[in-house]
Amino acid sequence: MKLKLTAAVLALIAAPAFAQEAPTGDVAAGEKVFAKCQTCHVVANEAGEVLAGKNSKTGPNLYGLPGRVAGTYPEFKYGESIVALGATGFAWNEADFVTYVADPAKFLKEKLDDKGAKSKMSFKLPKEEDAKNVYAFLASLAPAADAAAAPAEGEAAPASN
């Protein structure tokens, strides 16, 4: 029973990743805009291979950002407000990412309904098109969706067609 309950809870937590719609931005344009982001961020896979950026650790690793619960990248010291947002189950999608990078502090204040909410990210990417393009670029580097959809231990694999 415990295994089934754990699997069900994990499925609910992972649900935002499966509900992700295809990004609307341009991947190649996003790669160019990401040059502004790499001062603080890197995109490095599980093996530590740097896929984008300069291995900067001022901001969290953005690998697998689409669908990830906010403030949860392992071993990164997030600010209190982004952690509080993640505690609500909030997971990144394109629309929220675009709004967040335009003004991170304002986004957190609105999402948390907390005028005192703060963001450690001071950089702003105000152009919606640039933000959509960066999101598309990050999504292009994310782990394959079918790997994330692997069955939990003890569950049967989905039938293939």
Side-chain angles (χ1 to χ4, degrees), residues 101-132:
V101 298
D103 190 335
K106 179 181 177 186
F107 177 86
L108 291 171
K109 288 174 184 179
E110 290 175 357
K111 281 290 185 183
L112 293 169
D113 193 23
D114 177 1
K115 293 179 183 175
K118 297 179 181 173
S119 176
K120 290 172 70 175
M121 184 169 143
S122 59
F123 178 79
K124 296 178 182 178
L125 192 60
K127 292 183 180 177
E128 183 178 338
E129 182 178 2
D130 284 349
K132 285 181 176 184

Side-chain angles (χ1 to χ4, degrees), residues 22-75:
T24 62
D26 178 270
V27 173
E31 182 175 13
K32 291 177 186 172
V33 176
F34 187 77
K36 297 176 182 180
C37 308
Q38 70 184 1
T39 301
C40 297
H41 296 281
V42 66
V43 181
N45 64 18
E46 299 95 344
E49 177 188 7
V50 174
L51 306 176
K54 297 179 180 177
N55 209 14
S56 181
K57 295 182 180 161
T58 303
N61 181 352
L62 299 180
Y63 182 71
L65 177 88
R68 183 167 75 204
V69 174
T72 61
Y73 188 80
E75 299 177 23

